[in-house]
Amino acid sequence: MEEILIISNYYPPEKGANTNRIEQLALKLKQNKYNVSVVCPLANYPKGELFPEYKGKFSVTEVLQEITVKRLWIYPSNSKNFIVRVFSILSFSLSLFSF
């Protein structure tokens, strides 16, 4: 069985078009007999706040619809301040690098 790793900024339980596309891609790959894993930040979109089930955690591994999802730490923000947004993006990048 081939293995595929998807790295994305969005994955359910977050809502939105990007989330839906990545989820559907993962599910279709799974249906086609691929072993799919997803690495993404702790859920925080669209409010820029960690979802309650992820607060106080550095990383979480879950299995959603037979897909392994590894969530990594992020400094969540939906600030309009450019520097704060860049820091948020870099925080996930650093978590991903350490992963």
Side-chain angles (χ1 to χ4, degrees), residues 2-94:
E2 297 288 326
E3 293 188 23
I4 295 180
L5 174 64
I6 298 172
I7 300 173
S8 174
N9 278 335
Y10 308 102
Y11 202 76
E14 297 173 316
K15 304 287 184 210
N18 292 333
T19 302
N20 291 337
R21 283 187 211 107
I22 296 300
E23 179 185 35
Q24 289 305 308
L25 172 65
L27 291 172
K28 293 298 181 189
L29 288 168
K30 185 69 176 172
Q31 286 176 359
N32 286 299
K33 309 292 187 223
Y34 289 94
N35 184 13
V36 181
S37 299
V38 176
V39 176
C40 59
L42 294 169
N44 67 86
Y45 182 81
K47 294 182 178 180
E49 299 173 4
L50 291 179
F51 284 28
E53 59 268 31
Y54 303 115
K55 286 187 178 181
K57 298 181 180 172
F58 186 74
S59 69
V60 175
T61 302
E62 12 183 47
V63 177
L64 303 173
Q65 300 179 29
E66 298 180 25
I67 296 170
T68 302
V69 180
K70 178 73 172 181
R71 298 184 188 276
L72 303 176
W73 180 81
I74 187 171
Y75 176 78
S77 176
N78 64 355
S79 172
K80 293 186 181 355
N81 183 310
F82 175 77
I83 293 172
V84 174
R85 292 296 288 253
V86 168
F87 181 73
S88 178
I89 293 166
L90 289 176
S91 69
F92 175 58
S93 299
L94 290 172

